[in-house]
Amino acid sequence: MRKIYATGKRKSSIAKVWLQPGSGQIKVNNLSLDAWLGGLEAKKKRVLQPLVLTEQLSLVDITVQVLGGGFSGQADAVRHGISKALNSYDEAFRAILKPAGLLTRDSRVVERKKYGRRKARRSPQFSKR
């Protein structure tokens, strides 16, 4: 079967995901998942969540190119991309992925800094005297 392509996004991270039938190999930026995320076990679980829910962990090979942001945003972008690719791979997975909220793009991003403020909402220290 052909490769299936999907794009996942989170914060400022963008993940390009290619999915094809295989033996369960996952490559992220030409590294294995363990080498890419190191000891961040909770983030590994988040990345593998759509594969575990659809029971495709050892049945598909996944190649990912991810850029922008930090580990948390990148991990969630990869998860979103894998979910979208699985949905394209088999439409029956939609009934599993949609209720778990894995097909919805998490649109939360950092609020912009405003002038006259230190950050988005933090105002300068006030001195009465």
Side-chain angles (χ1 to χ4, degrees):
M1 191 176 166
R2 64 185 183 10
K3 281 187 174 183
I4 291 168
Y5 173 79
T7 307
K9 294 181 180 180
R10 170 76 172 102
K11 292 187 179 181
S12 60
S13 302
I14 300 170
K16 302 172 189 175
V17 178
W18 289 271
L19 181 137
Q20 63 185 354
S23 58
Q25 195 174 31
I26 300 172
K27 288 272 189 188
V28 181
N29 293 345
N30 294 322
L31 298 169
S32 69
L33 190 63
D34 290 327
W36 179 61
L37 278 176
L40 304 170
E41 295 298 325
K43 289 185 183 20
K44 280 184 210 169
K45 274 189 162 180
R46 287 180 69 80
V47 168
L48 296 174
Q49 188 182 6
L51 295 168
V52 171
L53 284 174
T54 56
E55 297 168 1
Q56 298 294 305
L57 196 54
S58 59
L59 301 174
V60 292
D61 285 345
I62 296 170
T63 308
V64 182
Q65 279 299 117
V66 63
L67 51 108
F71 282 117
S72 184
Q74 286 189 355
D76 285 348
V78 170
R79 180 175 80 151
H80 185 229
I82 290 172
S83 300
K84 285 171 67 175
L86 283 169
N87 188 40
S88 299
Y89 181 67
D90 186 355
E91 285 293 325
F93 292 151
R94 186 174 179 83
I96 301 166
L97 296 169
K98 187 70 175 166
L102 297 175
L103 295 175
T104 308
R105 199 263 202 229
D106 191 349
S107 61
R108 294 177 295 168
V109 291
V110 177
E111 189 176 343
R112 81 169 199 84
K113 185 197 175 297
K114 278 76 168 192
Y115 60 88
R117 302 269 176 169
R118 284 196 191 163
K119 292 168 55 178
R121 298 183 180 205
R122 168 80 166 104
S123 53
Q125 187 171 1
F126 176 75
S127 173
K128 199 166 188 178
R129 288 178 188 86

